[in-house]
């Protein structure tokens, strides 16, 4: 999730109410339980809700090929900000909405980066 | 002077109200922790688990400890959150764990074999003719399992543990 989060570890606050009421949208950073290792919780950016059409770069290290997918019902599409080194929906597919655990809204450590996190300035989520 | 005695009464009444509210709050906290992390009764209904569970509704006890420590295995009845509708909870049986090869019938003449990927399980209803399960929406991420059903409380003639 570079450059949003540092490699050496950041602390942030995440709230769980938005997920329960369905108030998350594209551009939010979310905590989700990994579909591959159920004990791990990942932090990724939400790019598409159900029935959204998402365009993603399949393998940015080797080619510029893009693919478009429609997110199925009850699922979401998540991607890390550092697409060159991130294991996300481009590898394991859309994730069921119930695996989302929280929404990140404020970074608290390191102190010089304290504050609310911007919605992604690098990607334009397709709608 | 009367004002002072009124104040005394209010103080003791307020103290009693606070004490009773504290007891109720503690009870609700205990109830919440037990329901979500230990054991909870659930009403399950629908035709997809006949003959194990009835059509019109059974009250079963589900425990929420096994799936956190990885003790859910083949043949267990589990409560899972539906991957298609996040607000529904389904009751199905785990037929395959990660790495297993599962063979299932799409229609009576055509069978298909898949390998369950890492971190997923394959669930099926006991009544395969009327069940929407992994044969339709694919393998289910393990993180969607909410609990393991181990006991039936209602109806009284079905009281007891549920077989594997």
């Amino acid at each position: 999730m570079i450059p949003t989060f540092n490699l050496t570890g950041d602390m942030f606050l995440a709230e769980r109410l938005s997920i329960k009421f369905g108030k998350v949208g594209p551009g939010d950073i979310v905590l989700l339980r990994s579909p591959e290792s159920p004990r791990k919780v990942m932090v990724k950016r939400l790019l598409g809700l159900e029935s959204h059409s998402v365009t993603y770069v399949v393998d940015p290290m080797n080619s510029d090929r893009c693919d478009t997918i429609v997110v199925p019902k009850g699922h979401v599409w998540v991607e890390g900000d550092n697409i060159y080194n991130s294991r996300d929906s481009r590898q394991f597919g859309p994730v069921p909405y119930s695996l989302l655990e929280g929404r990140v809204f404020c970074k608290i450590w390191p102190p010089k980066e304290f504050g609310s996190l911007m919605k992604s300035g690098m990607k334009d989520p397709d709608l | 002077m009367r004002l002072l005695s009124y104040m005394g009464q209010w103080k003791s009444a307020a103290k009693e109200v606070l004490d009773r509210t504290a007891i109720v709050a503690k009870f609700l906290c205990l109830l919440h922790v037990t329901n979500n992390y230990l054991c909870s009764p659930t009403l399950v209904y629908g035709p997809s688990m006949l003959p194990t569970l009835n059509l019109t509704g059974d009250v079963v006890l589900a425990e929420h400890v096994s799936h956190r420590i990885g003790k859910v295995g083949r043949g267990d009845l589990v409560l899972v959150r539906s991957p298609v509708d996040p607000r529904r909870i389904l009751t199905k049986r785990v037929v395959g764990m990660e790495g297993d090869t599962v063979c299932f019938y799409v229609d009576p003449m055509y069978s298909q074999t898949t390998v369950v990927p890492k971190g997923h399980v394959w669930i099926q209803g006991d009544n395969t003719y009327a069940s929407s399960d992994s044969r339709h929406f694919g393998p289910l991420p393990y993180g969607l399992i909410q609990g393991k059903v181990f006991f039936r409380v209602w109806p009284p003639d079905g009281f007891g543990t549920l077989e594997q």
Side-chain angles (χ1 to χ4, degrees):
Chain A
M1 285 290 289
I2 299 169
T4 317
F5 295 131
N6 297 324
L7 193 58
T8 45
D10 287 347
M11 283 194 23
F12 50 79
L13 296 177
E15 47 100 355
R16 293 174 191 261
L17 289 180
S18 305
I19 306 275
K20 297 236 188 289
F21 290 118
K23 295 255 178 273
V24 280
D28 288 336
I29 304 180
V30 290
L31 294 170
L32 65 144
R33 202 158 275 283
S34 163
E36 298 173 320
S37 330
R39 302 254 174 104
K40 279 178 58 181
V41 176
M42 322 193 291
V43 181
K44 299 287 172 199
R45 197 175 289 272
L46 191 75
L47 285 194
L49 297 174
E50 64 184 14
S51 79
H52 287 185
S53 167
V54 174
T55 306
Y56 61 99
V57 183
V58 178
D59 191 5
M61 293 278 255
N62 299 329
S63 81
D64 269 337
R65 187 170 74 93
C66 283
D67 234 351
T68 307
I69 188 175
V70 175
V71 182
K73 188 172 180 325
H75 288 66
V76 296
W77 187 269
V78 293
E79 274 186 36
D81 283 348
N82 184 13
I83 55 172
Y84 298 95
N85 191 3
S86 164
R87 197 159 170 82
D88 48 37
S89 285
R90 294 171 299 144
Q91 276 85 33
F92 47 68
V95 170
Y97 183 90
S98 318
L99 285 180
L100 297 180
E101 304 232 322
R103 186 181 73 95
V104 171
F105 66 97
C106 183
K107 190 195 278 204
I108 57 178
W109 190 270
K112 64 181 187 324
E113 292 174 34
F114 184 94
S116 62
L117 293 151
M118 294 293 174
K119 282 201 176 243
S120 163
M122 296 173 55
K123 289 173 181 265
D124 251 313
D126 285 333
L127 283 169
Chain B
M1 288 307 282
R2 251 181 289 164
L3 199 60
L4 279 175
S5 77
Y6 284 155
M7 271 176 56
Q9 282 177 342
W10 289 341
K11 259 196 193 171
S12 63
K15 185 173 182 319
E16 198 180 330
V17 163
L18 281 176
D19 279 344
R20 297 216 176 158
T21 313
I23 293 179
V24 172
K26 285 182 204 169
F27 172 71
L28 289 177
C29 286
L30 189 66
L31 196 65
H32 167 84
V33 166
T34 311
N35 261 5
N36 286 20
Y37 299 101
L38 289 177
C39 176
S40 68
T42 320
L43 176 70
V44 298
Y45 60 92
S48 64
M49 288 298 291
L50 289 165
T52 316
L53 300 173
N54 298 322
L55 172 66
T56 44
D58 286 353
V59 177
V60 296
L61 289 181
E63 48 98 351
H64 302 277
V65 177
S66 304
H67 72 102
R68 289 183 207 273
I69 54 177
K71 290 256 178 277
V72 173
R74 276 171 226 99
D76 288 341
L77 278 170
V78 288
L79 295 175
V80 301
R81 210 163 263 286
S82 164
V84 174
D85 183 0
R87 274 169 292 209
R88 279 187 60 190
I89 299 192
L90 316 171
T91 315
K92 304 286 176 202
R93 199 179 289 274
V94 173
V95 168
M97 303 293 294
E98 66 185 19
D100 287 350
T101 312
V102 172
C103 181
F104 61 99
Y105 283 95
V106 176
D107 66 59
M109 267 173 295
Y110 177 50
S111 80
Q112 209 175 331
T113 309
T114 41
V115 177
V116 181
K118 187 172 177 321
H120 289 66
V121 295
W122 190 271
I123 56 168
Q124 275 182 216
D126 284 351
N127 181 10
T128 44
Y129 301 104
S131 165
S132 150
D133 46 38
S134 284
R135 294 169 302 149
H136 305 101
F137 49 69
L140 188 89
Y142 187 95
L144 288 182
I145 298 181
Q146 307 282 300
K148 186 160 82 160
V149 173
F150 66 100
F151 203 82
R152 170 157 51 192
V153 171
W154 189 270
D157 53 336
F159 190 92
T161 51
L162 294 154
E163 331 87 59
Q164 298 302 317

